[in-house]
Amino acid sequence: MIHIDNVCKRFGGFAAVDGVTFTIRKGTITGLIGPNGAGKTSLFNVIAGLYLPTSGHVFLDGEDITGWPPHALFGKGVLRTFQIAHEFATMTVRENLMTVPGNQSGEHLVHAWFSGRRIAEEERQIRARADNVIEFLDLTPVADERAGNLSGGQKKLLELGRTMMTDARVVFLDEVGAGVNRTLLRRIGDAIIRLNREFGYTFCMIEHDMDFIGRLCDPVVCMAEGKVLAEGTADAIRADDRVIESYLGKRYRGAGHEPGTNA
């Protein structure tokens, strides 16, 4: 679905992303791992239209989308979340979800004046969709809570829910597990798996928790120093000497988890 072709992103003389090439296949959950400073988030920012690449191209189903702005990619079903949740803190969970669908009639002044019935019906449909998302993510107890009052894990669930309010095709998740307790992390993982298997979502996710990666992702891509270091199954990546040396650490070999993470 997404092909990243020899993408480079330089900041002055520093290459944050240095000739990265790999493919995100339709219907997969692709993991993207690597040490801090490996270029993972910079690559996401290039794909999502926040950064213009210095060179290289990004393709969606064969169409060159390099440098498209985020709102244009949103219209194509390419969405991303952030490591730090970007909720509307003073709005409720339900209201946060209802803001997502684009081109709502009430956004236009003329319609607001003359198309009250149309706007009301549209809002009813959007509210019903939001309620379905809330139920799917088990957020019903906090549906009318201000989003700013949610826990870190609940905010990550809300971010995931916002991708469900539009016709998402591929979703880029930036450290969805960061700062999340184990119980909520399992709920988030369950939701991602269901969205992938039941609704056909394609995901690419940056994550440091190798247990979480191992449960959800195939394939896994490891980056280091702006380049792709290795690509394969989670088990193959765990056993790769280059990945152990540059990222997991020698103590990881045979230990079954990554030291220093919440795994």
Side-chain angles (χ1 to χ4, degrees):
M1 178 171 283
I2 294 282
H3 180 62
I4 300 144
D5 182 25
N6 199 28
V7 166
C8 297
K9 178 57 184 177
R10 292 184 174 273
F11 298 94
F14 173 68
V17 181
D18 191 5
V20 167
T21 297
F22 67 89
T23 296
I24 300 167
R25 291 178 286 110
K26 183 177 181 180
T28 61
I29 305 175
T30 299
L32 185 60
I33 66 171
N36 292 332
K40 305 182 298 296
T41 295
S42 293
L43 178 63
F44 266 26
N45 287 338
V46 168
I47 297 169
L50 297 176
Y51 292 164
L52 186 67
T54 305
S55 60
H57 296 272
V58 179
F59 297 91
L60 171 67
D61 286 336
E63 181 179 10
D64 193 339
I65 59 170
T66 310
W68 283 29
H71 69 270
L73 293 172
F74 176 88
K76 284 283 191 177
V78 179
L79 287 77
R80 71 157 300 175
T81 67
F82 294 85
Q83 181 178 351
I84 299 174
H86 285 54
E87 78 282 354
F88 296 110
T90 60
M91 298 172 65
T92 69
V93 168
R94 182 180 287 106
E95 289 167 344
N96 266 266
L97 294 174
M98 291 179 67
T99 64
V100 174
N103 298 316
Q104 296 186 41
S105 298
E107 297 173 355
H108 304 280
L109 187 59
V110 172
H111 292 161
W113 283 344
F114 301 111
S115 303
R117 184 176 298 177
R118 170 182 173 182
I119 292 171
E121 174 58 22
E122 189 176 272
E123 184 171 312
R124 185 194 64 77
Q125 294 176 7
I126 293 172
R127 182 185 179 95
R129 183 167 185 171
D131 286 341
N132 287 336
V133 170
I134 288 167
E135 182 178 0
F136 180 93
L137 296 174
D138 197 21
L139 288 172
T140 303
V142 294
D144 296 308
E145 180 65 67
R146 289 187 178 184
N149 295 335
L150 301 181
S151 70
Q154 289 170 329
K155 288 180 180 180
K156 293 297 181 68
L157 280 168
L158 176 58
E159 285 247 304
L160 188 59
R162 292 199 294 194
T163 71
M164 298 172 63
M165 290 298 297
T166 186
D167 296 323
R169 298 172 63 196
V170 56
V171 180
F172 292 85
L173 304 172
D174 193 347
E175 294 198 35
V176 70
V180 178
N181 68 52
R182 303 307 298 179
T183 300
L184 275 176
L185 185 59
R186 177 161 290 279
R187 281 175 54 191
I188 291 170
D190 290 344
I192 292 170
I193 290 170
R194 284 190 62 193
L195 287 169
N196 173 252
R197 294 178 180 174
E198 297 176 21
F199 297 93
Y201 277 44
T202 298
F203 288 98
C204 182
M205 56 190 297
I206 296 171
E207 187 53 63
H208 288 287
D209 186 323
M210 287 303 296
D211 285 350
F212 193 61
I213 284 285
R215 179 187 171 211
L216 270 67
C217 299
D218 184 15
V220 178
V221 178
C222 181
M223 289 182 63
E225 298 181 347
K227 301 177 182 289
V228 171
L229 182 66
E231 182 176 356
T233 65
D235 288 342
I237 290 295
R238 284 189 177 107
D240 192 299
D241 288 337
R242 297 167 299 171
V243 178
I244 293 170
E245 183 68 30
S246 67
Y247 176 48
L248 298 179
K250 293 180 180 179
R251 290 178 300 166
Y252 183 86
R253 190 187 302 274
H257 66 84
E258 177 188 350
T261 73
N262 56 0

